[in-house]
DNA sequence: TGACATTATGTCATATCTGACATATAGTAG
DNA sequence: CTACTATATGTCAGATATGACATAATGTCA
């Protein structure tokens, strides 16, 4: 898929949502990126709701704090596998994942459950 | 996550469904693997329904026929990113993806739509 | 202010994934 | 049988992702 474009996106600072428009990004490339961003938002939400620090999550994942940070920052260098693994480790179900992929759960609901 | 276990799984021939049991596979590792298998089944289904050959799909993805075959065979060497990209290229929507991840659409419905 | 916890950013060696290629194995038609 | 198309399997050099590490922000509490 040519990673260079994703790098450019990151560099450009871009507003979240509807990524595509600004460079010749194919329909499906854009969709994939938005999915990953949605997952990364879900990850931060879920981690915080569970009161887990990045360091703690890194331990559970046998990864490192810096990689968790990159995940949550939507860094292009993180794979979908890692994002999904992280959510699973935080107890997300397949249904939760499905919702996250759709873009659901992105914003903080005002009166969220624990 | 230690890829070695996945390799073993592949080597063992395993029956599809409920992968976990047989080696000390963590709950979430197993879930990830089952998700990927579900995606690979969806991929084959969708590709065939669309009457697209592996060679043709490879072209659209700028990948190669052998990689498509590996994807559909559930080879441990394929990333979730690639599986998802492939489905997207075949016109799958986020909702379709969500369903696939859940394990939905695994079996061929007898009177499926085009 | 300082001491501490948490998160962000950058770099790098190594592990893993990827496309390409060769080749094998069906299946089908002539 | 041959020729052709589709799919499977193995290998490998090059690309990308990964964990680890250092270090910089940022925040909090006294």
């Amino acid at each position: 898929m040519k990673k260079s474009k994703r790098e450019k996106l990151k560099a450009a600072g871009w507003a979240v949502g509807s990524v595509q428009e600004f460079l010749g990004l194919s329909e499906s490339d854009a969709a994939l990126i938005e999915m990953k961003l949605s997952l990364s938002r879900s990850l931060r939400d879920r981690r915080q709701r569970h009161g887990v620090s990045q360091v703690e999550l890194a331990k559970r994942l046998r990864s490192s704090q810096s990689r968790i940070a990159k995940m949550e920052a939507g860094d292009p260098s993180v794979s979908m596998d890692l994002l999904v693994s992280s959510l699973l480790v935080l107890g997300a179900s397949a249904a939760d994942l499905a919702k996250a992929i759709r873009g659901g759960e992105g914003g903080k609901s005002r009166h969220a459950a624990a």
Side-chain angles (χ1 to χ4, degrees), chain A residues 34-35 38-39 41-42 46 49 87 92-107 109:
Chain A
E34 297 215 4
M35 265 189 199
S38 182
L39 286 172
R41 284 189 290 267
S42 289
R46 182 169 281 266
R49 272 207 309 275
L87 282 162
S93 68
D96 292 330
L97 265 287
K99 200 187 267 190
I101 279 188
R102 292 249 227 60
E105 196 197 344
S109 59

Side-chain angles (χ1 to χ4, degrees), chain A residues 5 20-27 29:
Chain A
K5 287 189 178 171
Q20 188 170 11
E21 83 255 357
F22 112 107
L23 235 189
L25 211 46
S26 85
E27 195 78 29
D29 285 353

Side-chain angles (χ1 to χ4, degrees), chain A residues 10-105:
Chain A
K10 181 71 190 311
W14 65 352
V16 185
S18 191
V19 176
Q20 188 170 11
E21 83 255 357
F22 112 107
L23 235 189
L25 211 46
S26 85
E27 195 78 29
S28 52
D29 285 353
L32 181 63
I33 293 183
E34 297 215 4
M35 265 189 199
K36 289 173 77 168
L37 286 176
S38 182
L39 286 172
S40 76
R41 284 189 290 267
S42 289
L43 176 59
R44 171 150 0 216
D45 273 14
R46 182 169 281 266
R47 180 181 62 78
Q48 289 180 338
R49 272 207 309 275
H50 287 237
V52 177
S53 73
Q54 291 184 344
V55 171
E56 171 60 18
L57 176 56
K59 247 177 245 162
R60 294 194 204 173
L61 259 175
R62 298 155 147 272
S63 178
S64 59
Q65 178 268 325
S66 57
R67 193 132 296 273
I68 309 289
K70 286 181 226 289
M71 277 197 247
E72 294 185 353
D75 190 294
S77 85
V78 299
S79 71
M80 198 154 169
D81 296 68
L82 192 57
L83 282 165
V84 169
S85 291
S86 304
L87 282 162
L88 289 174
V89 163
L90 284 175
S93 68
D96 292 330
L97 265 287
K99 200 187 267 190
I101 279 188
R102 292 249 227 60
E105 196 197 344

